[in-house]
Amino acid sequence: MIDSHCHLDHEPISSNLDDIIKRSKNEGIEKLLTICTSKDSYKNILKIIEKDKIIFGTFGIHPHEVDKNEIDKHDIISSVKQNNKVIGIGETGLDFYYNNSKKEAQIRSFKTHIDAAIELKLPLIVHTRNAEDDTYEILEKNYHPNLKILMHCFTGSSIFAQKLLKLNAFFSASGIITFKNSHKLQDTFKTIPIEKLMIETDSPFLAPEPMRGKKNEPSFIKYTANKLAFIKNVNSETLISRTTKNFNKLFFNT
C-alpha cells in the first residue's frame, strides 16, 4: 500500500514518528508521501524524508496559508531541487469554505504552483473545497501536456470528476468514503476508472471508520483501501495493487 497524502510534520504524528513508521511497515505500506503546507512545514519535511527510505515529500503552500507565505515560481522550483525525494508540488488549490486566505491570493498562488509543476514535470497535488467551478476553470485554462494532476481527498461531484478526467487527472480517496453519510461520494467513486485512483489518510485528520474520532495515522489506510475495494467491486488485493501501480506511474513514471 501507499499513503499518497499524509502530514508527518503534524502532531501527534511528528513526536511519535518512529512508532508511526514501524506500524506503517507492519501494515505493508511501502511509501508515505508527506505533504507540505507552508514554508515552515517544508523545513520539517526536509528532515522527515531523511528518516526512512519509504518517506517522500512535496513542496507547496496550502490555500489556508497563502496570505502568510508569498512565493513565486522560482521559490517553488529552488525549494523542490533541494532534495530528490521531493517528488510533487502542493498541496495547493482553492478553499472557499473557510476563506482563511483572500480568494485572489489563493487563485494567484494556485496558478504559480501550476506553472512550476509544468516546468518541473512533477505531479500537482490539488486541494479544492467549495470551489469546483473555479478549480476546474484554472486547471483547464492552464492545462499543458506536462501537467499531472492529483485531486487529493476528493469529495467533489460526479460532474466535476468527469470533467477532470478529460484533463487526465488522478483522484485520491480518503477516510471520508468510509463515513456512513458519504453515499453520494461513494457513488462518484464508482464512476471513476480504477486506473485513476489512489488512497490516502490525510493523517492526522479524517480517521476512517472504525477508527473515527481518533487521530489518524498512515497505518489506518487499510480501512480506506477495503472500502474503496468494496465500492469498486474488486477484492482488496486487486485494489491495493492497482492504486500502488497508479501512484508509481504518476510520481515515478514506472
Side-chain angles (χ1 to χ4, degrees):
M1 288 180 288
I2 295 177
D3 187 348
S4 68
H5 194 111
C6 56
H7 297 278
L8 301 183
D9 62 317
H10 284 42
E11 291 291 357
I13 295 177
S14 60
S15 58
N16 298 280
L17 195 51
D18 290 341
D19 290 338
I20 295 290
I21 294 170
K22 184 178 180 179
R23 287 196 290 271
S24 297
K25 290 180 176 180
N26 287 343
E27 291 294 342
I29 294 174
E30 64 179 58
K31 291 186 181 76
L32 300 170
L33 185 58
T34 185
I35 305 297
C36 180
T37 56
S38 67
K39 292 178 182 178
D40 286 340
S41 168
Y42 193 58
K43 296 175 185 176
N44 295 322
I45 285 171
L46 287 174
K47 298 174 184 176
I48 290 170
I49 59 178
E50 297 299 335
K51 285 189 69 69
D52 196 281
K53 65 180 181 180
I54 73 168
I55 304 174
F56 297 83
T58 69
F59 176 83
I61 308 300
H62 192 287
H64 290 342
E65 304 292 334
V66 166
D67 284 353
K68 297 176 285 186
N69 291 266
E70 283 196 25
I71 55 165
D72 58 25
K73 186 173 74 169
H74 173 75
D75 294 329
I76 298 174
I77 292 172
S78 61
S79 295
V80 168
K81 289 183 176 181
Q82 289 183 48
N83 193 302
N84 62 10
K85 291 187 77 180
V86 178
I87 59 172
I89 307 296
E91 65 187 282
T92 181
L94 305 175
D95 194 313
F96 296 162
Y97 181 80
Y98 286 108
N99 280 318
N100 287 347
S101 296
K102 297 181 184 68
K103 287 186 177 182
E104 296 78 9
Q106 290 187 46
I107 291 170
R108 185 166 59 250
S109 178
F110 188 22
K111 291 179 179 178
T112 299
H113 283 77
I114 292 171
D115 289 343
I118 290 170
E119 183 164 333
L120 290 167
K121 299 180 181 180
L122 290 179
L124 181 79
I125 295 99
V126 179
H127 170 114
T128 180
R129 189 169 185 188
N130 280 34
E132 286 192 3
D133 291 343
D134 293 273
T135 299
Y136 178 76
E137 181 180 349
I138 291 168
L139 289 171
E140 194 274 333
K141 285 186 176 179
N142 292 274
Y143 187 75
H144 184 280
N146 289 345
L147 184 60
K148 299 186 285 186
I149 301 166
L150 174 56
M151 303 303 297
H152 130 73
C153 188
F154 188 71
T155 56
S157 67
S158 180
I159 292 173
F160 188 33
Q162 294 307 309
K163 289 165 65 177
L164 289 165
L165 282 169
K166 295 177 181 178
L167 301 181
N168 204 28
F170 286 76
F171 303 79
S172 185
S174 72
I176 293 175
I177 66 166
T178 71
F179 297 174
K180 293 176 182 177
N181 62 350
S182 67
H183 301 297
K184 183 178 286 189
L185 181 61
Q186 293 172 22
D187 288 341
T188 294
F189 271 95
K190 288 178 183 177
T191 71
I192 301 173
I194 195 170
E195 295 80 11
K196 291 294 182 180
L197 295 178
M198 295 180 204
I199 49 176
E200 67 169 85
T201 59
D202 201 14
S203 50
F205 315 106
L206 301 175
E209 297 287 355
M211 311 305 285
R212 196 170 181 187
K214 297 183 179 182
K215 288 294 184 181
N216 202 4
E217 64 173 77
S219 66
F220 295 173
I221 199 168
K222 62 184 178 182
Y223 301 110
T224 299
N226 291 339
K227 184 66 176 185
L228 187 58
F230 176 80
I231 291 168
K232 299 303 292 181
N233 195 29
V234 297
N235 60 48
S236 294
E237 291 77 14
T238 297
L239 187 283
I240 290 168
S241 175
R242 184 70 243 192
T243 55
T244 297
K245 184 177 180 179
N246 295 343
F247 181 95
N248 288 327
K249 177 183 178 181
L250 183 65
F251 286 94
F252 295 101
N253 296 312
T254 59

